[in-house]
Amino acid sequence: MEKSEPKIEAGWLEVLRPEFGKPYFDDLKAFLVEEKKQYPVFPPGNRIFAAFDHTPFGKVKVVILGQDPYHGYGQAHGLCFSVPDGVPPPPSLVNIFKELSTDLDIHVPQSGNLEKWADQGVLLLNATLTVRANQAGSHQRRGWENFTDEVIRQLSARCTGLVFILWGSYAQAKDVLIDTSKHFILKAVHPSPLSVYRGFFGCRHFSKTNELLLKAGKAPVDWKL
């Protein structure tokens, strides 16, 4: 019997198809089936690959890397750092918005929904794409990292002039997957309240990203939400 492939944007499916047939991905799917029998799992199944659906492979210009989805009810919807309309922005996103406002002299957004960024080519990628309710990091080291590392490798290999935004030590450790002769990397501490004053505020990554995109001959991102 032929294996069913995940529902994911066609360009990404073409690039990532080999991953869906690997043993680790079978193990991951089996783990998720069992997990969902016992616990609520976020985001909803139809949103697990939302980052890829909003940002087709051929349109990626910027990659922002998160760690894993929000684990509170109603928060995760498949884009890192983002929450659906009507859900209060979590602390890290509040700090991202403060820096955005200072950097570009725009009003702090009212909604924490970052789909507008994703639709312009900003891939909002979590390293782990699912989580158990109320248990941060509960789906780490189950196979998702193999998959998302390959996402970064493929972007690095097949594209040019991308801006990778790496906030915090976890994201920064992924720089080994990126060819810096072809791409740009911006690094800062994580925007969480624990570290934000150690260099996230003042990093100006939003304006710097647009400067780098223009340098690479690409259209800048309209960061205003």
Side-chain angles (χ1 to χ4, degrees):
M1 193 172 78
E2 209 172 300
K3 289 182 184 178
S4 64
E5 291 174 326
K7 289 184 173 65
I8 191 171
E9 187 271 329
W12 282 109
L13 180 60
E14 190 65 31
V15 170
L16 297 172
R17 186 173 272 124
E19 297 304 296
F20 297 134
K22 290 182 179 177
Y24 85 82
F25 206 86
D26 289 337
D27 293 344
L28 173 60
K29 284 195 291 188
F31 163 73
L32 288 172
V33 167
E34 289 306 309
E35 186 78 349
K36 286 178 180 179
K37 287 177 185 174
Q38 301 175 68
Y39 310 100
V41 170
F42 304 139
N46 65 346
R47 298 291 303 181
I48 290 173
F49 295 110
F52 303 93
D53 296 330
H54 277 279
T55 313
F57 184 82
K59 294 191 175 175
V60 177
K61 297 192 293 193
V62 179
V63 181
I64 298 179
L65 190 66
Q67 193 158 355
D68 62 353
Y70 295 125
H71 54 82
Y73 281 82
Q75 291 182 308
H77 69 147
L79 309 176
C80 76
F81 294 109
S82 181
V83 289
D85 290 320
V87 176
S92 290
L93 185 54
V94 169
N95 289 332
I96 289 169
F97 284 167
K98 284 179 184 174
E99 177 58 24
L100 174 70
S101 176
T102 306
D103 184 9
L104 298 178
D105 194 25
I106 57 178
H107 288 299
V108 171
Q110 295 300 301
S111 172
N113 189 333
L114 305 182
E115 287 177 351
K116 186 186 170 195
W117 294 357
D119 292 340
Q120 294 180 75
V122 181
L123 181 67
L124 297 167
L125 180 68
N126 275 315
T128 303
L129 297 187
T130 56
V131 70
R132 185 189 298 176
N134 302 319
Q135 292 194 35
S138 48
H139 288 186
Q140 290 175 7
R141 294 177 291 281
R142 292 287 183 169
W144 279 129
E145 295 92 340
N146 302 51
F147 178 75
T148 54
D149 280 1
E150 186 61 21
V151 168
I152 297 169
R153 282 191 203 97
Q154 290 294 336
L155 286 168
S156 178
R158 294 173 183 243
C159 305
T160 54
L162 303 185
V163 181
F164 289 85
I165 298 176
L166 308 180
W167 292 330
S169 55
Y170 182 89
Q172 288 171 21
K174 304 290 184 181
D175 66 357
V176 296
L177 306 172
I178 302 162
D179 182 349
T180 52
S181 71
K182 297 166 62 183
H183 303 288
F184 309 103
I185 297 179
L186 295 175
K187 293 181 180 180
V189 297
H190 197 275
S192 81
L194 296 172
S195 56
V196 71
Y197 288 101
R198 299 205 307 266
F200 182 79
F201 286 150
C203 70
R204 302 191 63 240
H205 278 181
F206 302 99
S207 59
K208 285 178 181 175
T209 293
N210 281 350
E211 288 165 13
L212 292 169
L213 288 172
L214 287 167
K215 188 175 166 183
K218 300 173 193 273
V221 175
D222 177 6
W223 295 105
K224 197 171 182 180
L225 292 168

